[in-house]
Amino acid sequence: MRFAEIEEAIAAYAEHFDASSLCGVEALDGMRRAARVEHIAAALKSLCAARVSETQIHRGTGAKSAADLVARETGTTIGDARDAIDTAKRLEDQPSLNDAARSGEVSPQQASAISDAAAADPGAETELLAKVRSGASLNELREEASKIKAAALPDREARRTKIHDERFLRTWTDPEGAGNLRMRDNPEVIAQLMARIDEETEVIFCEHRREGTRERREAYGADALVRIVTGGAGPARSSDQAKVIFRIDWAAWLRGWPEGGEVMELV
C-alpha cells in the first residue's frame, strides 16, 4: 500500500467519524488507537525528513536548510524539524527504539528523548523503553534521559566542553506571529547574562513605578534585554557578579564530585 492510499483511507474514515456516538470506554479506546496511528505517522514523517536532509533537495526550493523545508511543509518549527531529522538518523543504530517508533509505541517526543540519551549511552535504549512501558510521563522520561546523558560524561570538564560545543542562539516566529529567542550554554554563562538583565530590569521597574504604571517583571526583563543589546535609553552599567543557587550533598561538596545517588545540581 502506498502513502497516498493510506492517506485516502484515513481521510475517508475521518470524514464520517462521529465521536458523539461513542460511549466513554469506546472514546478512550479510540483516542489510544488514534494516538498510535499518529505516532506511526510521525515516525514515517521523521524518516522521510531524514531522507530529505540526505538528498539535499531543499537547495532547489529556496529553503535555507533541510530543517527549514521540513518545517514549512509540515507546519512545525525549525527546531522540531531538526530534532525529527536527528532522531530519525540515530534510529539506524537503535533497533529497539526503531521498532517501537514504527509500531507507534512511543510518541515523537519520547523517541527523541530516548534516542538522544541512547546516543550517549547505548544501554539507555532498553532502560528508557521499559520506563515508557511502565507508564512514565514524558517529563519523567526526559528527566531520566538527562541523568543518563550526564552520567555518560562523568568528567565535569568533559560535560562543560560538550555543552559549550553544542551552544546555540536560535530565533523563530511562532504561529501567532511573535518572535521568539532561545539560547543554550553552560550555566555560568547564562547566569552572567541574567545578572546584567536583572540589573537593567530593576532600573526599568523603578522607572515604571515613578510613572505609576506596572507590568509583569518578565515583560520588563524583555525590555531590559532589548535596551542592553540595542543601546536604548537607560544608564549603561556593567557587572561581573552573578547569583548562582545550587543543591549539593555535604560529602560531595567536600570531595568535589558526586558519587552514587548524591545530589549536585544547579537550581
Side-chain angles (χ1 to χ4, degrees):
M1 183 176 285
R2 297 180 178 276
F3 272 128
E5 295 171 325
I6 297 172
E7 180 185 357
E8 289 174 5
I10 292 178
Y13 180 82
E15 183 180 359
H16 301 288
F17 178 73
D18 180 13
S20 65
S21 66
L22 305 177
C23 69
V25 173
E26 292 171 332
L28 179 59
D29 180 66
M31 182 190 71
R32 288 169 175 163
R33 292 181 184 278
R36 199 166 190 113
V37 171
E38 181 183 20
H39 296 167
I40 294 171
L44 297 178
K45 182 181 73 172
S46 295
L47 292 169
C48 289
R51 183 57 180 161
V52 166
S53 177
E54 290 172 357
T55 60
Q56 298 290 298
I57 193 175
H58 69 275
R59 297 191 176 188
T61 66
K64 297 178 182 178
S65 64
D68 184 27
L69 176 60
V70 171
R72 292 184 191 180
E73 293 290 331
T74 60
T76 57
T77 66
I78 293 178
D80 286 341
R82 186 184 296 111
D83 189 45
I85 291 171
D86 291 342
T87 298
K89 288 180 177 179
R90 290 192 298 261
L91 287 180
E92 297 178 5
D93 300 317
Q94 298 167 347
S96 296
L97 179 59
N98 193 349
D99 291 343
R102 288 172 183 265
S103 67
E105 189 177 357
V106 294
S107 69
Q109 294 79 12
Q110 290 171 323
S112 174
I114 295 171
S115 179
D116 190 32
D121 179 1
E125 185 180 356
T126 301
E127 179 182 345
L128 293 176
L129 278 173
K131 202 168 184 65
V132 170
R133 289 162 181 155
S134 69
S137 69
L138 179 58
N139 283 339
E140 291 171 336
L141 181 69
R142 283 174 169 167
E143 183 177 348
E144 187 63 28
S146 295
K147 290 179 180 178
I148 289 173
K149 285 178 63 179
L153 283 174
D155 180 76
R156 180 174 178 273
E157 286 307 312
R159 287 201 302 272
R160 285 177 46 76
T161 298
K162 185 175 185 296
I163 293 173
H164 177 75
D165 291 343
E166 296 175 349
R167 69 194 184 283
F168 62 74
L169 177 64
R170 295 173 185 162
T171 64
W172 72 95
T173 302
D174 64 29
E176 295 182 16
N180 291 262
L181 189 69
R182 182 184 178 193
M183 180 177 177
R184 184 178 192 269
D185 206 325
N186 276 298
E188 72 278 5
V189 175
I190 303 300
Q192 274 189 306
L193 292 177
M194 291 310 301
R196 178 68 185 93
I197 291 172
D198 286 344
E199 191 176 50
E200 195 64 39
T201 297
E202 187 62 26
V203 172
I204 294 174
F205 170 77
C206 292
E207 292 172 355
H208 278 258
R209 185 169 59 181
R210 286 194 297 270
E211 295 170 359
T213 61
R214 185 166 185 173
E215 293 184 79
R216 294 170 293 114
R217 187 171 181 86
E218 59 189 18
Y220 295 153
D223 295 341
L225 178 59
V226 172
R227 178 181 287 187
I228 292 167
V229 173
T230 63
R237 296 141 66 109
S238 63
S239 172
D240 59 359
Q241 296 183 350
K243 180 179 181 181
V244 180
I245 303 174
F246 60 90
R247 290 194 297 262
I248 182 170
D249 285 333
W250 182 244
W253 170 263
L254 295 177
R255 189 186 309 111
W257 63 87
E259 292 183 352
E262 292 176 339
V263 174
M264 180 182 281
E265 60 186 13
L266 285 167
V267 177

